[in-house]
Amino acid sequence: MENLSFSISGPRAAQKPRNPELKPPFRRLRIYAFDPAASLDIQTAVINTATISLRWEELEPGPVGEYVEVIDVDPASGGFYPPVDLNETALLVQDGYPPSDGNPRFHQQMVYAVAMMTIRNFERALGRPVLWAPRPWDWETGEKIERYVQRLRIYPHALREANAYYSPRKAALLFGYFQASRRNAGRNLPGGTIFTCLSHDIVAHETTHAILDGMHRRFIEPSNPDTLAFHEAFADIVALFQHFTLPEAVRQQIAQLRGDLSQRSLLSGLAVQFGHAIGHYGALRDAIDAVDPETGMPDATAIDRATESHERGAILVAAVFDAFVSIYRSRVADLLRLTTGDGRRFPDRDLHPDLVARLTREATKSASHVLRMCIRAVDYLPPVDMTFGDYLRALITADYDLVTEDDRGYRLAIIEAFRRRGIFPRDCRSLSVDSLLWSVPENPIEIDWITDINFSQSLARKEIYERSAERCQSLAHWMRNNADISHETLREMGLWLRDDAPKTIRRARATETTGPGPAFEIHSVRLANRIGPDGEQERQLVIEITQERRGYRSADLQREVEERGRVKGVRADFVFRGGATLIVDLRTRALRYCIKKDIASDERLDEQRSYRFEADSETLGSTYFGDTNEAEPFAFVHRLGGC
């Protein structure tokens, strides 16, 4: 046998050169699983420190990466906290700073880690990189032209108030800090400082607002009671289900609840520390709503009375969480039968650790599937004037497209949960799955424009944005040139591009290649590359097209302007929008779904007029029309309601 020997010849020994191309696949960072208050409870303190793995990216101090840029300035004091460098060796080997509410560098680490965790959940579900909403003007020149936004800015200490919000104007997340109530502060120190940037729920909530705005920029317009409420509800849904991506936290809560997730807990609550700090006796919002003790049913009429966006959005959150609990219970029914003899009854004693592990596995699987369903459905919404009923149809259709066989009854659970809360779609014969699916156009809609496009996805995010903008221009040119010969096709999309369109539809100016005519806007042409549970790849193209129409406070005045075109001295009172989301199957190049809101619909026009001008002043006060910097639409709590 050959003898092997090794020797080191002192400090002058040749060292192996580093390989600059060798990079770790992940970066591990510590975060609060919930918020600092959970570390003050002996039962949850151990699981409140979670370590998450994020895909490796090169970071500059801040942290500043591909998607986000953390800027830690405190405008109220004029202070600036030195940026954290997560590439320091000491931080790399110990998974970043340990959680601390007194270390500003951990605050920076926390917002970066949770924001990136949220972004990755979206990218896995959507099958494409996340893009932020473009700025509507160039800040340097003041020119009104869309500018690409590379990074979302995050300010951990931007406000001295009990709030946090996403600002579309600044393309930024702004987090506040404040003093806890001196009377009912819960586990917080009375009068102590509460940082919203340390709440997992609040960071995920505001990041979701930014991502959704990048996908559907017209959803910030309150055309009906559901639009802003959906923004709030969807952000809460993502934050809630991210609880279930932290197995240790889920395991501890399942053991404490003895497996019954229909009980209120840290998993169902949002911003527990925040809620206690402002004088609540529990979480600021909870996904489990009240039920009638006699019937066990929620109040299906509550949605008719709820007007404020957070209050109304809570009903949608409760419906989705109710569906998740039903799915979870169906998945663990066999385990319950083995334990209690009844597949519907949870044990009334402490659970065996092996049973806790099995229940945890089923809960995380169910939550992951529901979260992906909720995110994928956003691609199947109309580009304007969406309602909760539209979201129900989008949920069912998006899931059906990817998973035809619903063996576990996920879709039925969602339908039932929505029905129990009075959330119904329009223009459906029944609540069966077949009826709720978005319909395929009766007349085949052919868009030969897509045959000449290369849909490569291996591009940088900025290049993806630029390619999408080029495709938008190409499609707009095709539509303008085919406005007459494809009139029926365009009407199927809810659009009207011929000169005989209603006179209140906004007109475009003549160009070198086209004459004047009804204007339209193509918001996006984006690729979705999804993988189903059986490994089958689903490649689709999602196109959003909208038009504008002048709306007037009076129906009589609306008719007069429609007849005459213009009335001297009369200006429009609001903007009415229509359009369509087109889902194109890239395998067949055929239009699979046309999800439209008809620009010529007088019924929708009347409803928007009624909502905007006949609602009471309190309701209108809670909406956002984008006129002032003070009226940011996505505050974590309702600004007018106060904290």
Side-chain angles (χ1 to χ4, degrees), residues 450-502:
I450 68 172
T451 59
D452 300 326
I453 293 184
N454 176 20
F455 297 99
S456 173
Q457 188 71 347
S458 57
L459 303 171
R461 289 171 60 242
K462 185 174 183 180
E463 194 171 358
I464 292 173
Y465 172 84
E466 292 171 347
R467 292 282 184 90
S468 178
E470 292 172 1
R471 293 166 188 164
C472 289
Q473 293 179 358
S474 176
L475 177 57
H477 184 73
W478 179 89
M479 289 177 61
R480 179 64 68 196
N481 289 339
N482 291 272
D484 291 327
I485 61 175
S486 302
H487 176 67
E488 295 303 323
T489 296
L490 295 172
R491 289 298 300 127
E492 283 267 354
M493 300 178 188
L495 306 170
W496 201 323
L497 302 188
R498 273 196 335 200
D499 290 335
D500 60 350

Side-chain angles (χ1 to χ4, degrees), residues 37 181-188 264-266 269-286:
S181 169
R182 295 186 178 275
R183 302 177 65 180
N184 300 313
R187 291 191 178 89
N188 301 302
R264 294 191 175 187
S265 66
L266 281 176
L270 275 173
V272 175
Q273 182 191 39
F274 188 102
H276 285 163
I278 63 175
H280 285 226
Y281 290 95
L284 181 66
R285 295 193 284 276
D286 201 285

Side-chain angles (χ1 to χ4, degrees), residues 269-343:
L270 275 173
V272 175
Q273 182 191 39
F274 188 102
H276 285 163
I278 63 175
H280 285 226
Y281 290 95
L284 181 66
R285 295 193 284 276
D286 201 285
I288 298 175
D289 52 355
V291 298
D292 188 310
E294 295 183 1
T295 64
M297 298 285 286
D299 183 1
T301 65
I303 195 166
D304 298 326
R305 301 186 299 273
T307 55
E308 195 274 321
S309 58
H310 296 87
E311 176 190 12
R312 191 175 182 88
I315 298 173
L316 179 61
V317 176
V320 173
F321 198 81
D322 185 8
F324 156 70
V325 172
S326 296
I327 293 167
Y328 163 72
R329 293 175 76 103
S330 71
R331 291 181 66 102
V332 302
D334 57 339
L335 299 175
L336 298 183
R337 281 192 293 270
L338 291 171
T339 308
T340 66
D342 184 347

Side-chain angles (χ1 to χ4, degrees), residues 12-44:
R12 294 186 179 181
Q15 296 183 1
K16 185 177 180 179
R18 294 180 179 180
N19 183 356
E21 297 182 357
L22 185 62
K23 298 176 183 178
F26 301 106
R27 184 190 297 271
R28 290 167 55 87
L29 293 172
R30 285 180 282 182
I31 62 170
Y32 281 122
F34 299 101
D35 54 41
S39 294
L40 303 178
D41 185 335
I42 194 171
Q43 293 184 328
T44 58

Side-chain angles (χ1 to χ4, degrees), residues 75 138 214 344 391 441 509 556 587:
D138 188 321
R344 295 171 296 178
Y391 188 56
R509 296 179 179 178
D556 292 336
R587 292 173 299 182

Side-chain angles (χ1 to χ4, degrees), residues 504 550-555 557-558 561 565-567 570-574 605 609 613:
T504 52
R550 302 192 308 278
Y552 296 86
R553 185 184 298 260
S554 162
L557 181 58
Q558 185 81 39
V561 176
R566 293 280 182 180
V567 176
V570 175
R571 299 182 62 183
D573 296 301
F574 65 98
L605 182 60
R609 181 183 299 112
F613 301 110

Side-chain angles (χ1 to χ4, degrees), residues 244 247-261 263 265 267 324 328 332 346-347 349-353 355-364:
F244 293 87
E248 290 300 323
V250 178
R251 184 178 295 109
Q252 187 275 340
Q253 287 290 288
I254 282 182
Q256 182 175 321
L257 299 169
R258 294 171 177 166
D260 188 1
L261 293 179
Q263 302 179 56
S265 66
L267 296 176
F324 156 70
Y328 163 72
V332 302
F346 287 91
R349 62 185 184 278
D350 289 347
L351 306 183
H352 189 280
L355 180 58
V356 172
R358 286 289 305 280
L359 293 174
T360 299
R361 191 178 311 139
E362 296 301 331
T364 54

